[in-house]
mmCIF file of all heavy atoms in Angstrom:
data_model
loop_
_atom_site.group_PDB
_atom_site.id
_atom_site.type_symbol
_atom_site.label_atom_id
_atom_site.label_comp_id
_atom_site.label_asym_id
_atom_site.label_seq_id
_atom_site.Cartn_x
_atom_site.Cartn_y
_atom_site.Cartn_z
ATOM 1 N N ARG A 103 19.485 -0.976 -27.619
ATOM 2 C CA ARG A 103 18.606 0.097 -28.123
ATOM 3 C C ARG A 103 17.473 0.362 -27.121
ATOM 4 O O ARG A 103 16.316 0.495 -27.498
ATOM 5 C CB ARG A 103 18.066 -0.287 -29.488
ATOM 6 C CG ARG A 103 19.160 -0.397 -30.545
ATOM 7 C CD ARG A 103 18.655 -0.971 -31.853
ATOM 8 N NE ARG A 103 17.513 -0.252 -32.374
ATOM 9 C CZ ARG A 103 16.673 -0.756 -33.273
ATOM 10 N NH1 ARG A 103 16.854 -1.977 -33.748
ATOM 11 N NH2 ARG A 103 15.645 -0.049 -33.703
ATOM 12 N N ARG A 104 17.834 0.471 -25.865
ATOM 13 C CA ARG A 104 16.839 0.583 -24.796
ATOM 14 C C ARG A 104 15.899 1.764 -24.975
ATOM 15 O O ARG A 104 14.683 1.608 -24.881
ATOM 16 C CB ARG A 104 17.534 0.679 -23.443
ATOM 17 C CG ARG A 104 16.527 0.867 -22.310
ATOM 18 C CD ARG A 104 17.159 1.093 -20.994
ATOM 19 N NE ARG A 104 17.806 2.379 -20.918
ATOM 20 C CZ ARG A 104 18.623 2.733 -19.936
ATOM 21 N NH1 ARG A 104 18.900 1.886 -18.977
ATOM 22 N NH2 ARG A 104 19.176 3.919 -19.911
ATOM 23 N N SER A 105 16.437 2.938 -25.194
ATOM 24 C CA SER A 105 15.589 4.135 -25.285
ATOM 25 C C SER A 105 14.579 4.018 -26.416
ATOM 26 O O SER A 105 13.400 4.347 -26.239
ATOM 27 C CB SER A 105 16.441 5.384 -25.473
ATOM 28 O OG SER A 105 17.254 5.584 -24.351
ATOM 29 N N GLU A 106 15.028 3.529 -27.560
ATOM 30 C CA GLU A 106 14.126 3.372 -28.703
ATOM 31 C C GLU A 106 13.034 2.352 -28.390
ATOM 32 O O GLU A 106 11.864 2.573 -28.700
ATOM 33 C CB GLU A 106 14.903 2.916 -29.934
ATOM 34 C CG GLU A 106 15.912 3.921 -30.450
ATOM 35 C CD GLU A 106 16.803 3.276 -31.504
ATOM 36 O OE1 GLU A 106 16.293 2.884 -32.578
ATOM 37 O OE2 GLU A 106 18.020 3.150 -31.230
ATOM 38 N N LEU A 107 13.432 1.229 -27.808
ATOM 39 C CA LEU A 107 12.452 0.196 -27.461
ATOM 40 C C LEU A 107 11.470 0.725 -26.426
ATOM 41 O O LEU A 107 10.262 0.492 -26.529
ATOM 42 C CB LEU A 107 13.151 -1.065 -26.939
ATOM 43 C CG LEU A 107 12.225 -2.195 -26.464
ATOM 44 C CD1 LEU A 107 11.289 -2.656 -27.577
ATOM 45 C CD2 LEU A 107 13.058 -3.360 -25.917
ATOM 46 N N GLN A 108 11.963 1.460 -25.458
ATOM 47 C CA GLN A 108 11.084 1.986 -24.414
ATOM 48 C C GLN A 108 10.037 2.940 -25.006
ATOM 49 O O GLN A 108 8.859 2.869 -24.653
ATOM 50 C CB GLN A 108 11.903 2.677 -23.329
ATOM 51 C CG GLN A 108 11.090 2.994 -22.096
ATOM 52 C CD GLN A 108 11.936 3.512 -20.951
ATOM 53 O OE1 GLN A 108 12.945 4.181 -21.156
ATOM 54 N NE2 GLN A 108 11.506 3.210 -19.743
ATOM 55 N N VAL A 109 10.444 3.805 -25.913
ATOM 56 C CA VAL A 109 9.509 4.729 -26.567
ATOM 57 C C VAL A 109 8.504 3.943 -27.406
ATOM 58 O O VAL A 109 7.299 4.225 -27.378
ATOM 59 C CB VAL A 109 10.270 5.767 -27.423
ATOM 60 C CG1 VAL A 109 9.330 6.544 -28.336
ATOM 61 C CG2 VAL A 109 11.058 6.719 -26.534
ATOM 62 N N PHE A 110 8.985 2.962 -28.143
ATOM 63 C CA PHE A 110 8.122 2.121 -28.973
ATOM 64 C C PHE A 110 7.045 1.453 -28.117
ATOM 65 O O PHE A 110 5.856 1.485 -28.447
ATOM 66 C CB PHE A 110 8.974 1.066 -29.690
ATOM 67 C CG PHE A 110 8.190 0.120 -30.549
ATOM 68 C CD1 PHE A 110 7.758 0.488 -31.809
ATOM 69 C CD2 PHE A 110 7.899 -1.169 -30.092
ATOM 70 C CE1 PHE A 110 7.041 -0.401 -32.608
ATOM 71 C CE2 PHE A 110 7.188 -2.058 -30.877
ATOM 72 C CZ PHE A 110 6.751 -1.674 -32.141
ATOM 73 N N LEU A 111 7.457 0.876 -26.997
ATOM 74 C CA LEU A 111 6.495 0.207 -26.118
ATOM 75 C C LEU A 111 5.548 1.204 -25.460
ATOM 76 O O LEU A 111 4.353 0.925 -25.308
ATOM 77 C CB LEU A 111 7.235 -0.635 -25.068
ATOM 78 C CG LEU A 111 7.976 -1.859 -25.619
ATOM 79 C CD1 LEU A 111 8.818 -2.520 -24.531
ATOM 80 C CD2 LEU A 111 7.001 -2.859 -26.238
ATOM 81 N N LYS A 112 6.062 2.356 -25.094
ATOM 82 C CA LYS A 112 5.202 3.387 -24.490
ATOM 83 C C LYS A 112 4.104 3.803 -25.462
ATOM 84 O O LYS A 112 2.952 3.996 -25.071
ATOM 85 C CB LYS A 112 6.031 4.598 -24.076
ATOM 86 C CG LYS A 112 5.220 5.680 -23.399
ATOM 87 C CD LYS A 112 6.079 6.847 -22.982
ATOM 88 C CE LYS A 112 5.208 7.901 -22.313
ATOM 89 N NZ LYS A 112 5.960 9.098 -21.973
ATOM 90 N N ASP A 113 4.462 3.941 -26.745
ATOM 91 C CA ASP A 113 3.465 4.302 -27.759
ATOM 92 C C ASP A 113 2.380 3.242 -27.882
ATOM 93 O O ASP A 113 1.269 3.527 -28.315
ATOM 94 C CB ASP A 113 4.136 4.531 -29.111
ATOM 95 C CG ASP A 113 4.963 5.809 -29.152
ATOM 96 O OD1 ASP A 113 4.792 6.673 -28.253
ATOM 97 O OD2 ASP A 113 5.787 5.959 -30.080
ATOM 98 N N LEU A 114 2.707 2.012 -27.501
ATOM 99 C CA LEU A 114 1.735 0.912 -27.507
ATOM 100 C C LEU A 114 1.065 0.746 -26.140
ATOM 101 O O LEU A 114 0.372 -0.243 -25.901
ATOM 102 C CB LEU A 114 2.426 -0.394 -27.906
ATOM 103 C CG LEU A 114 3.009 -0.432 -29.320
ATOM 104 C CD1 LEU A 114 3.804 -1.718 -29.526
ATOM 105 C CD2 LEU A 114 1.906 -0.298 -30.361
ATOM 106 N N GLU A 115 1.323 1.699 -25.255
ATOM 107 C CA GLU A 115 0.772 1.705 -23.894
ATOM 108 C C GLU A 115 1.276 0.530 -23.056
ATOM 109 O O GLU A 115 0.558 0.008 -22.198
ATOM 110 C CB GLU A 115 -0.750 1.772 -23.911
ATOM 111 C CG GLU A 115 -1.263 3.052 -24.549
ATOM 112 C CD GLU A 115 -2.781 3.190 -24.528
ATOM 113 O OE1 GLU A 115 -3.472 2.252 -24.079
ATOM 114 O OE2 GLU A 115 -3.258 4.257 -24.963
ATOM 115 N N VAL A 116 2.531 0.134 -23.314
ATOM 116 C CA VAL A 116 3.192 -0.873 -22.487
ATOM 117 C C VAL A 116 4.158 -0.128 -21.582
ATOM 118 O O VAL A 116 5.099 0.505 -22.046
ATOM 119 C CB VAL A 116 3.955 -1.914 -23.344
ATOM 120 C CG1 VAL A 116 4.735 -2.879 -22.450
ATOM 121 C CG2 VAL A 116 2.991 -2.659 -24.260
ATOM 122 N N SER A 117 3.897 -0.188 -20.304
ATOM 123 C CA SER A 117 4.718 0.518 -19.326
ATOM 124 C C SER A 117 5.994 -0.272 -19.036
ATOM 125 O O SER A 117 5.948 -1.474 -18.811
ATOM 126 C CB SER A 117 3.906 0.698 -18.039
ATOM 127 O OG SER A 117 4.660 1.391 -17.088
ATOM 128 N N THR A 118 7.118 0.425 -19.079
ATOM 129 C CA THR A 118 8.397 -0.187 -18.730
ATOM 130 C C THR A 118 9.068 0.701 -17.688
ATOM 131 O O THR A 118 8.584 1.794 -17.394
ATOM 132 C CB THR A 118 9.318 -0.322 -19.964
ATOM 133 O OG1 THR A 118 9.554 0.989 -20.499
ATOM 134 C CG2 THR A 118 8.700 -1.222 -21.019
#
Side-chain angles (χ1 to χ4, degrees):
R103 295 172 54 199
R104 177 185 70 191
S105 296
E106 295 170 64
L107 177 58
Q108 192 172 32
V109 168
F110 179 79
L111 292 173
K112 182 179 180 184
D113 289 344
L114 297 173
E115 297 183 356
V116 175
S117 181
T118 60

